[in-house]
Amino acid sequence: MDRRVVITGLGPVTSIGIGVAAFGAGLRAGRSGVSPITSFDTTGFPHVMGAEVRDFEPASLLRRLDPREWGLASRFAAAAARLAVEDSGVDPDRIAGPRSGASIGTCTGESQVLQSLTEEWVRGGFGDMAPHEAVQAPTHRIGSAVHRELGFTGDSMMVSAACAASNYTIGNAYDLIADGELDYMIAGGADAMVRWGHAGFYRCGLMAEDACSPFDRDRTGVLAGEGASALFLESLDSAVERGARIYAEVLGYGLSCDARHPVAPDADGIARSIRRAHANAGVTPDDVDYICAHGTGTPANDLTEANAVRDVFGPTPPPMSSIKSMLGHTMGAASGLGAIASVLGIREGFMPPTINYGHEDPALAGIDPVPNAARPARLRVVQNNGFAFGGNNAVTLFGEVA
């Protein structure tokens, strides 16, 4: 089979808004979700800013799971999936069962649970490790939470491809539906803020002090974030038959793993994934109206991404902005949130901005970062970039449905 695949439901859980209406309004307004970190003691840290999800009340969002039995990343993922299903308007009974599945990405798994267990072990040995936390620790629990919350019994896949993970899951979900193996899929990712992750970014020299400024001349790095992304995918025929609102069509995707360096990006590997995505989607560079950039705000990453994009598109690529300027780096959720921003842009006719932009970087000549304010635009084809440590690159393409 070769079914067309569309997105009919969106479930963002982010520092600028929970749910599609709040998230979309935050993107349009260029809202910053950055504030002093409260989820752990930042005493001794030179940098103390991050993008935490505030006012997250899982009990008000979840219908089946008991939040006390699950780690925060699992709660984020299940809540995002529930929001996506509700946004899709699909009958919950229609999707319960073996023809529905989920593909969920993560970078650090149940990081807060693992940190707590480690602290207990260091303080008092194995005997002090809380049994209920040990049960919550396995990474597969994140995907299980989505299945349990929605009643799915089809494929459940966890993808740990670092910060490109959600784009991998979208490609996986697209294939399963296009090939007729499943009818409905949740794709996305989830990660929670954790002290050791914050410390790791800082020790690698990748962290900004108080603001993430992608593509700016004076950019200094990334800020850690958290949250979840969930997209509800089904066949075009299914969506039309039930009269669903369609955000966009999944046109295709491209993957590469250059494995050149543990943390440094590689322009050739990135360009390869972009070209593969275009070929898989049946589009040319001239067809792409906007790029939702990976755009971490580190000097090396933004320059490498720009070089790869200019290699594919020429010296003046389509506008490309980074929502990480607003959300921080949400790790495994990042490219899924980029996908949500992309399809909202298609549906509602706008490009999200890159905020905190003050000075043009001569090394990024030709790059239009949509500085500081959202821009009205008709978007027919949008490219969503996701790149990660280890050379894991994943690019997704979305299109307007006529």
Side-chain angles (χ1 to χ4, degrees), residues 6 17 28 46 60 69 108 118 170 175 184 197-198 249 256 282 284 317 333 374:
V6 295
R28 283 182 176 274
S60 69
E69 298 177 359
T108 58
T118 302
I170 293 168
D175 283 342
Y184 308 101
H198 181 81
E249 181 175 2
S256 70
T284 68

Side-chain angles (χ1 to χ4, degrees), residues 143-283:
S144 297
V146 171
H147 267 55
R148 291 272 292 277
E149 173 63 20
L150 300 178
F152 290 178
T153 58
D155 287 27
S156 177
M157 176 177 287
M158 286 298 305
V159 177
S160 184
C163 303
S166 287
N167 264 355
Y168 278 83
T169 72
I170 293 168
N172 175 240
Y174 166 80
D175 283 342
L176 288 171
I177 295 174
D179 292 345
E181 295 185 43
L182 293 179
D183 294 326
Y184 308 101
M185 285 288 294
I186 290 287
D191 270 302
M193 182 83 74
V194 66
R195 189 174 70 234
W196 58 263
H198 181 81
F201 272 127
Y202 177 77
R203 291 294 294 157
C204 285
L206 302 175
M207 182 166 284
E209 183 171 358
D210 51 21
C212 178
S213 308
F215 306 117
D216 186 85
R217 181 196 66 193
D218 301 325
R219 63 191 182 277
T220 57
V222 69
L223 288 177
E226 66 178 1
S229 54
L231 300 93
F232 184 76
L233 284 70
E234 61 186 304
S235 70
L236 175 61
D237 290 344
S238 169
V240 170
E241 183 269 329
R242 67 182 187 85
R245 173 205 50 225
I246 298 172
Y247 285 103
E249 181 175 2
V250 183
L251 300 178
Y253 68 97
L255 311 176
S256 70
C257 184
D258 53 74
R260 189 183 67 85
H261 191 276
V263 296
D266 177 67
D268 290 340
I270 291 171
R272 189 159 55 248
S273 66
I274 294 172
R275 290 191 172 97
R276 287 174 177 171
H278 290 179
N280 184 249
V283 304

Side-chain angles (χ1 to χ4, degrees), residues 52-372:
E52 295 173 305
V53 178
R54 308 291 191 184
D55 303 320
F56 177 63
E57 298 178 358
S60 69
L61 299 171
L62 301 175
R63 302 288 176 265
R64 294 178 177 172
L65 295 188
D66 182 346
R68 296 170 297 181
E69 298 177 359
W70 302 83
L72 183 56
S74 295
R75 299 197 298 271
F76 280 159
R82 174 59 68 185
L83 287 168
V85 165
E86 291 180 350
D87 184 52
S88 77
V90 71
D91 182 347
D93 292 335
R94 178 172 180 158
I95 60 175
R99 298 293 297 172
S100 300
S103 187
I104 306 297
T106 191
C107 186
T108 58
E110 283 295 1
S111 54
Q112 291 189 359
V113 175
L114 292 169
Q115 176 153 315
S116 179
L117 286 168
T118 302
E119 290 171 347
E120 291 160 3
W121 174 31
V122 170
R123 281 196 306 265
F126 286 110
D128 275 13
M129 296 171 72
H132 75 279
E133 290 181 336
V135 170
Q136 295 174 6
T139 298
H140 74 261
R141 293 265 298 180
I142 301 173
S144 297
V146 171
H147 267 55
R148 291 272 292 277
E149 173 63 20
L150 300 178
F152 290 178
T153 58
D155 287 27
S156 177
M157 176 177 287
M158 286 298 305
V159 177
S160 184
C163 303
S166 287
N167 264 355
Y168 278 83
T169 72
I170 293 168
N172 175 240
Y174 166 80
D175 283 342
L176 288 171
I177 295 174
D179 292 345
E181 295 185 43
L182 293 179
D183 294 326
Y184 308 101
M185 285 288 294
I186 290 287
D191 270 302
M193 182 83 74
V194 66
R195 189 174 70 234
W196 58 263
H198 181 81
F201 272 127
Y202 177 77
R203 291 294 294 157
C204 285
L206 302 175
M207 182 166 284
E209 183 171 358
D210 51 21
C212 178
S213 308
F215 306 117
D216 186 85
R217 181 196 66 193
D218 301 325
R219 63 191 182 277
T220 57
V222 69
L223 288 177
E226 66 178 1
S229 54
L231 300 93
F232 184 76
L233 284 70
E234 61 186 304
S235 70
L236 175 61
D237 290 344
S238 169
V240 170
E241 183 269 329
R242 67 182 187 85
R245 173 205 50 225
I246 298 172
Y247 285 103
E249 181 175 2
V250 183
L251 300 178
Y253 68 97
L255 311 176
S256 70
C257 184
D258 53 74
R260 189 183 67 85
H261 191 276
V263 296
D266 177 67
D268 290 340
I270 291 171
R272 189 159 55 248
S273 66
I274 294 172
R275 290 191 172 97
R276 287 174 177 171
H278 290 179
N280 184 249
V283 304
T284 68
D286 290 342
D287 295 322
V288 178
D289 298 309
Y290 163 70
I291 300 169
C292 190
H294 186 63
T296 62
T298 67
N301 187 285
D302 290 1
L303 177 60
T304 303
E305 182 173 10
N307 285 339
V309 166
R310 289 182 294 201
D311 182 33
V312 175
F313 289 88
T316 54
M320 54 186 285
S321 63
S322 171
I323 64 172
K324 291 182 180 68
S325 60
M326 295 177 265
L327 306 175
H329 199 332
T330 55
M331 313 299 171
S335 55
L337 291 171
I340 292 175
S342 297
V343 302
L344 276 176
I346 291 171
R347 174 76 183 183
E348 299 181 4
F350 75 100
M351 300 177 193
T354 302
I355 67 169
N356 307 317
Y357 187 86
H359 302 93
E360 183 176 347
D361 184 348
L364 304 182
I367 301 299
D368 172 5
V370 193
N372 299 317

